[in-house]
Amino acid sequence: MKQPLSPALAVAPAVAVAAALAIRQPSSALVWGLGCGLGHVLVRSRFGFASGYRRLLQRRDAGSVFAQLLLAALLVMAMALVLAAEPLTGLRPKLLATPLSLPFLAGAFLFGIGMERARACGCGTLAATSRGGAGVLAALVGLVAGAFLGTLHAPQLAALPLPRLPSPVSLDWFGLLGALTFQLAFIAVLTMVLSRWSGQVPWHGEGRGPYGGAIAVALLATGLLLVTAEPWKVLWGLALSGAHAAQALGWDPGGSLFWSSPRGQALLTGPEAWLFNDAVLVDLGLLYGAVATAIGQGRFRWRGERLERLPDLARRGFGGLLMGYGGLLASGCNVNAFLGGVMSFSLHGWIWLGVALAGFAASLRLRPAPGPAAPSD
């Protein structure tokens, strides 16, 4: 292990970037800082999604999934408080309600396969940069490319005359208090079912790391909700980064249904449109926070922790590609589609999780992806 660096050396660049952003747009400095905090917490606590699913499906070990359900419950309560305080604060957060359609279901299934192949989810891939090595780079490049390709095809698929149903939203059925009770009761029942099936008791046998990580992630994600007025997003920032990279390489956005629209054109107007996008800033902050934390611990390795063969790199790159593409079709990843849907009181979040787990299980049965999981997973 290399000699750890002083924490001040890791924090100073982040503070300098925040100060530079604050000159142009103070809220961007807050978003950057919250993103850095997320990267730090994911690496430090080893909280994540993909490894929890792997352990649940392969070994009936539900410890990490219990922490995920705790995170979901905390975010549901945070959203309820923000909505209840709207008359006083004037903050009206964006609630997510994705229609249920064949592209949505197919995208969630593909995301689950990609998550198993890449051995990390969307935010887990960003946090895995703390490990270093070509494998995580392959997964990250595939994730960006897949998300960008998803923006090219998602509008056309959405326009097809396919069956679609509006997402059931408990807020419309029961009001705020009833919807809060419904979601928390559902999480409690799911926790009890998993506890009985796995033979594990929540909060025991897993240590404090994942649960402390869940609480810290919930606080930081709530901060993002208060600053940006919408749930935390991961894939959209990667898709926008992919579009800017493609444009720099000569791609013409005029042939894209989305990117040729007024909104799409505004997002591609120049470097500032990219840098000051909230989703991009969160992703960049997460990357920096993860790598800085690993360097501060003396654990970062440019070549990674093991020698990765070409098939391993191809598998992880393909997994990232499936995650990015499937996530754009399904309106997000574990963060935006699952957690964002659940905290918006929309049942599409739970449906996304079930279908993604089915894809993950199908990939496991085909052939488990070798190699270590991402640091946060």
Side-chain angles (χ1 to χ4, degrees), residues 105-171:
L105 298 175
F109 191 82
L110 288 175
F111 188 94
I113 295 174
M115 184 164 45
E116 195 280 324
R117 296 287 87 187
R119 298 194 67 87
C121 62
C123 63
T125 300
L126 294 174
T129 54
S130 61
R131 184 188 296 273
V136 65
L137 180 61
L140 183 58
V141 170
L143 190 60
V144 172
F148 169 61
L149 290 174
T151 65
L152 302 181
H153 299 156
Q156 288 89 334
L157 292 174
L160 293 176
L162 298 172
R164 55 192 290 132
L165 297 171
S167 176
V169 179
S170 56
L171 197 62

Side-chain angles (χ1 to χ4, degrees), residues 223-319:
L224 284 174
L225 176 66
L226 295 174
V227 176
T228 66
E230 59 182 349
W232 172 25
K233 294 184 290 189
V234 173
L235 288 186
W236 175 241
L238 300 176
L240 183 56
S241 298
H244 275 266
Q247 188 177 41
L249 294 173
W251 165 69
D252 181 11
S256 166
L257 184 62
F258 171 75
W259 294 109
S260 62
S261 67
R263 181 193 173 197
Q265 290 177 351
L267 291 168
L268 294 176
T269 52
E272 283 197 359
W274 172 76
L275 180 60
F276 287 92
N277 183 275
D278 289 335
V280 171
L281 277 174
V282 174
D283 290 346
L284 292 176
L286 201 160
L287 276 168
Y288 179 83
V291 173
T293 299
I295 293 175
Q297 295 173 337
R299 296 182 178 180
F300 182 78
R301 297 290 188 276
W302 287 106
R303 295 184 178 182
E305 296 181 354
R306 67 187 183 97
L307 182 63
E308 293 168 299
R309 299 173 299 170
L310 185 59
D312 299 331
L313 300 181
R315 184 180 296 111
R316 296 191 69 176
F318 182 65

Side-chain angles (χ1 to χ4, degrees), residues 81-91:
L81 289 173
V82 172
L83 291 174
E86 181 186 340
L88 299 175
T89 63
L91 176 64

